[in-house]
Amino acid sequence: MLSESSAAVVAATLPAVQANGEAITDRFYQRMFDAHPELLNIFNRSNQATGQQKAALAAAVVAYAEQLTGGSSVPWGPILDRIAHKHVSLGITATQYTIVGRHLMAAVGEVLGEAVTPEVAAAWDEVYWLLACELIAREARLYTEAGVPENGSVWRDWRVTGKVRETADVVSFTLVPADGGPVPGFTPGQYTSVAVDLDGGRGQQIRQYSLSNRPGGDHWRITVKRVRGVDGGPDGMVSTFLHERVEVGDTLRLSPPFGEVSAVPGEGPLVLVSAGIGLTPAMAALEHLAVTEPERPVVLVHADRAGTAHAMRDDLPRLQEKLPNLRMRLWYEDVTDSQLLGLTAEVASGRVDPELIPVNPDAHVHLCGPVPFMNIVRGGLLRRGVPSERIAYEVFGPGMLRDERV
Ligand SMILES: Cc1cc2nc3c(=O)[nH]c(=O)nc-3n(C[C@H](O)[C@H](O)[C@H](O)COP(=O)(O)OP(=O)(O)OC[C@H]3O[C@@H](n4cnc5c(N)ncnc54)[C@H](O)[C@@H]3O)c2cc1C
Ligand code: HEM
């Protein structure tokens, strides 16, 4: 709880902080990276360049202040979970909260100038640390559960044992711990962070990849789409590196499995809806259910540009054999190549029509794909009476607060 005096000060200064959010964020990162250039290796440089993620941290502090002062009723539990899982997958430490807090407060002071009296600074500091403490506590728990020792590293070397071309733009890597140790279990839907040292002295970059095989096996699999630059933008740093530079026998640094969104939620009928590379959690779910709950009624809805772009499609006939109650509904924008190669599925042309998704009233739904796609599908399912708490979704990018309301 924010103290009463601080709450009044925060409420009074909230509009000024909100109005200057972008300037505060810019100054915050400039200051922090000048003082701590090593943090450039932890933050996603492409998100910094495109501005995508930049706002998320400061925006979260402001949204939290709104909540504390009674200005909003967004449920914070899921938001804190999402941030904490992302943080621990990056190895964020409690000490780094002091660095971030110092530079964030200094940026507020620089941008708002004299308006930031000692009283105002203290009130915002209180907000920051209330939020930081919530995150630090959750993150400590997640580190413990994942077996990361106190002050230990999340990174472990994994050896690439297979590299399989799935489509023109997608490859899968199979991986085993380089030290021959046990392969950690995970929940379908969880991801691992992959840290790579880019060539040309560009330093380290970290990205998340959902595990696309079943838990409990003797290896992990990740399935990576190569991101090409559009409108003159550069090609994706890490996906291009993984496609071009990483081969069987190489080692990669991976985090333990994290991620709060299960792709096998609840019990009973399950609907997995994906588009493009967003099918990786669904593939982990199907592989898992084929072993653990083969009778579970599952509908797989997948949208892709074409059958030839549909990664891991060759795995589906085998899964269909093992899962007698699996029904598939595919949408290909281009259906000229939609030979189904032993697959029993309904195939339509064009984009997913949420009205045509077969949904049992008791079903749990998992969505993964581009945010506009998920907005359309979720909106359609909500209109058809599926309650929001039964629609889980994963964003393959910075899940800013607005994404909590897709
Ligand atoms: C939880 C989670 C799970 C995920 N699971 C998967 C998965 O299973 N499979 C998968 O393939 N991906 C997955 N992703 C996405 C993955 O983490 C990466 O975001 C993706 O591979 C792109 O990373 P990159 O380094 O190749 O691209 P980046 O270098 O991050 O580039 C991203 C975009 O930014 C643009 N950009 C960069 N700099 C500039 C600039 N200066 N000007 C203009 N544009 C610019 C690039 O052109 C590109 O379009 C997941 C993400 C999350 C968060
Ligand atoms: C109260 C303090 C903090 C808040 C409110 C906060 C908030 C956030 C949010 C909202 C995200 C986006 C989550 C997502 O992708 O879904 C994020 C990601 C991230 N945070 Fe934090 N954060 C805080 C502290 C820190 C600290 C101390 C560090 C370490 C220096 C840090 C490093 C990162 C990084 C590296 C990412 C991934 C972003 C990227 O793509 O570059 N954060 N944080």
Side-chain angles (χ1 to χ4, degrees):
M1 281 286 286
L2 198 57
S3 63
E4 218 170 283
S5 56
S6 291
V9 175
V10 169
T13 46
L14 197 54
V17 173
Q18 274 168 330
N20 290 283
E22 211 177 309
I24 292 170
T25 300
D26 280 346
R27 271 313 290 149
F28 157 62
Y29 281 112
Q30 273 166 21
R31 291 183 52 103
M32 186 170 73
F33 290 141
D34 281 350
H36 293 275
E38 74 282 1
L39 291 179
L40 285 165
N41 285 341
I42 301 180
F43 281 84
N44 178 324
R45 265 179 257 155
S46 295
N47 287 347
Q48 289 286 319
T50 58
Q52 263 227 46
Q53 145 74 26
K54 259 183 154 176
L57 199 159
V61 177
V62 172
Y64 193 67
E66 247 185 318
Q67 168 86 2
L68 290 174
T69 53
S72 95
S73 56
V74 176
W76 267 83
I79 300 174
L80 294 173
D81 276 343
R82 179 176 170 95
I83 301 172
H85 277 269
K86 183 68 73 62
H87 278 168
V88 290
S89 87
L90 296 157
I92 302 302
T93 63
T95 321
Q96 286 167 336
Y97 278 86
T98 312
I99 299 173
V100 163
R102 185 185 317 131
H103 291 288
L104 192 57
M105 288 306 131
V108 172
E110 268 187 51
V111 172
L112 299 187
E114 283 170 10
V116 184
T117 59
E119 196 194 15
V120 170
W124 278 93
D125 203 48
E126 204 177 319
V127 170
Y128 174 81
W129 279 106
L130 277 174
L131 179 51
C133 287
E134 291 235 38
L135 288 170
I136 290 168
R138 274 169 206 252
E139 290 161 21
R141 202 164 52 240
L142 291 172
Y143 283 131
T144 306
E145 283 164 9
V148 178
E150 218 179 317
N151 302 320
S153 166
V154 290
W155 304 112
R156 182 175 178 195
D157 282 342
W158 287 67
R159 205 176 63 256
V160 178
T161 53
K163 181 178 180 183
V164 174
R165 178 153 300 284
E166 305 282 0
T167 68
D169 277 340
V170 176
V171 289
S172 286
F173 295 91
T174 50
L175 299 135
V176 296
D179 61 9
V183 176
F186 60 90
T187 303
Q190 288 198 302
Y191 53 82
T192 178
S193 281
V194 179
V196 302
D197 297 317
L198 298 168
D199 38 357
R202 289 180 295 156
Q204 174 189 272
Q205 280 288 277
I206 305 170
R207 299 290 183 271
Q208 289 72 41
Y209 293 99
S210 304
L211 294 158
S212 64
N213 65 328
R214 79 174 173 87
D218 60 1
H219 65 277
W220 278 0
R221 177 174 72 171
I222 57 169
T223 302
V224 180
K225 179 180 176 182
R226 180 181 185 139
V227 173
R228 313 234 181 216
V230 284
D231 300 333
D235 287 344
M237 288 187 201
V238 175
S239 63
T240 305
F241 183 89
L242 292 172
H243 272 247
E244 290 183 352
R245 299 298 171 100
V246 177
E247 301 298 340
V248 172
D250 289 345
T251 53
L252 283 174
R253 285 194 300 286
L254 304 189
S255 76
F258 289 115
E260 75 294 1
V261 182
S262 168
V264 285
E267 287 172 1
L270 176 63
V271 182
L272 301 164
V273 187
S274 58
I277 194 60
L279 89 178
T280 48
M283 293 308 286
L286 293 180
E287 296 282 2
H288 175 63
L289 294 175
V291 174
T292 57
E293 285 182 87
E295 301 298 326
R296 189 163 176 181
V298 184
V299 177
L300 176 72
V301 174
H302 181 69
D304 230 310
R305 276 184 293 109
T308 46
H310 182 169
M312 296 180 281
R313 189 172 64 159
D314 294 350
D315 294 349
L316 293 177
R318 174 179 51 80
L319 287 164
Q320 211 159 34
E321 259 176 40
K322 292 186 179 163
L323 293 160
N325 297 318
L326 169 62
R327 182 171 170 196
M328 295 192 203
R329 191 93 172 63
L330 308 175
W331 267 271
Y332 294 145
E333 282 173 43
D334 172 3
V335 283
T336 48
D337 166 66
S338 61
Q339 306 117 326
L340 290 175
L341 312 165
L343 201 63
T344 310
E346 297 151 73
V347 186
S349 68
R351 307 211 161 188
V352 167
D353 178 351
E355 298 301 320
L356 300 180
I357 295 177
V359 192
N360 181 302
D362 305 326
H364 283 267
V365 182
H366 178 274
L367 307 179
C368 188
V371 168
F373 164 85
M374 293 201 282
N375 270 318
I376 290 169
V377 174
R378 185 168 186 268
L381 294 178
L382 289 172
R383 274 195 300 279
R384 290 178 59 195
V386 182
S388 61
E389 62 275 14
R390 274 207 253 121
I391 310 178
Y393 63 90
E394 184 70 84
V395 183
F396 277 8
M400 286 181 263
L401 295 190
R402 62 188 162 79
D403 292 331
E404 299 295 334
R405 294 185 226 122
V406 280

